[in-house]
Amino acid sequence: MVRVSKYLSRHLRHRPDALGLTLAPGGWVEVSGLLDACAAAGFPITRTELEHVVAANAKQRFGFDPSGQRIRAHQGHSVAVDLQLETAAPPPVLNHGTVARVLPSIRAEGLKPMARHDVHLSPDAAAATRVGARRGQPVILVVDAAAMVAAGHRFRRSTNGVWLVGGVPPEFIAFPAG
C-alpha cells in the first residue's frame, strides 16, 4: 500500500498531467478516470485498494468527496490548484517539524512553502515530530499562530487537520536553544 500511496501522491499532488489528468476546482479528479489512467500507465489499482489507501493512510493524505466518486490529495500540491479551503482560526500555537541543518535559513527567512503552495503546520508536537523525522533527527519549531492572526496572516485547515499558511516570518517562531 505504501507504493500505491506514493504513486497517488506523485500524481494527485505533483504530476496529474503525467497520467493525462486535470485537477478540477478543489483538487478533485473522478475516481473512475484515475483508475483508468493508472491502468493505462501500467500501474493498475483496484477500487478496493484505493479505498484501503484512503482509509489506512496514517497522514490521511487523500479523501473522497461525499459521493465517493471523486478523490483528491488534501494538501501538499506543487501544481496550481485551489483547494477551496476556507480561512479558519487556528489554535494559539502550532508546530512545524524540520531538521537542524535548515535552521539557519529558517532563522533568517522564516518558514517558506518552497515547492508547495503553503507552509504545513501541525496542531501537536507529535505530528510535527513525525514530519521532521522523514529527513533525519527532528527539530520542532513552535509557531505563535495567535500573534500571526493578530498581524493579519490567514490560515486554512485541510480536511486531515494540517494547518496551511503562506509563510511564517521568523519573529513568530520559537527556536530551540543552541
Side-chain angles (χ1 to χ4, degrees):
M1 288 296 104
V2 170
R3 243 179 92 229
V4 173
S5 179
K6 287 183 177 190
Y7 189 82
L8 292 173
S9 285
R10 181 178 331 117
H11 295 291
L12 293 177
R13 294 165 83 182
H14 310 297
R15 294 293 317 274
D17 60 311
L19 289 180
L21 300 171
T22 300
L23 301 181
W28 299 106
V29 297
E30 295 292 326
V31 169
S32 59
L34 172 66
L35 296 177
D36 290 346
C38 290
F43 196 91
I45 301 170
T46 66
R47 173 72 191 220
T48 301
E49 290 171 324
L50 186 63
E51 289 172 357
H52 178 72
V53 166
V54 170
N57 186 277
K59 293 184 180 180
Q60 294 296 292
R61 283 193 171 111
F62 316 104
F64 293 109
D65 72 355
S67 73
Q69 299 306 304
R70 298 185 307 165
I71 187 171
R72 74 173 177 185
H74 289 304
Q75 81 277 331
H77 298 77
S78 60
V79 296
V81 63
D82 177 3
L83 293 176
Q84 301 177 324
L85 300 172
E86 298 293 325
T87 299
V93 172
L94 291 167
N95 301 274
H96 183 79
T98 190
V99 290
R101 70 179 172 273
V102 298
L103 287 178
S105 173
I106 296 171
R107 284 182 199 279
E109 301 175 25
L111 293 169
K112 294 181 167 187
M114 308 307 280
R116 297 181 177 177
H117 293 278
D118 295 289
V119 171
H120 296 186
L121 301 170
S122 302
D124 58 77
T129 299
R130 286 190 300 275
V131 170
R134 293 182 308 186
R135 294 187 191 99
Q137 182 64 35
V139 174
I140 306 308
L141 304 177
V142 178
V143 173
D144 188 344
M148 286 185 68
V149 169
H153 295 267
R154 296 178 29 184
F155 288 81
R156 293 169 295 125
R157 185 176 181 266
S158 71
T159 309
N160 63 351
V162 173
W163 286 90
L164 308 172
V165 66
V168 180
E171 61 267 26
F172 297 107
I173 303 170
F175 291 92

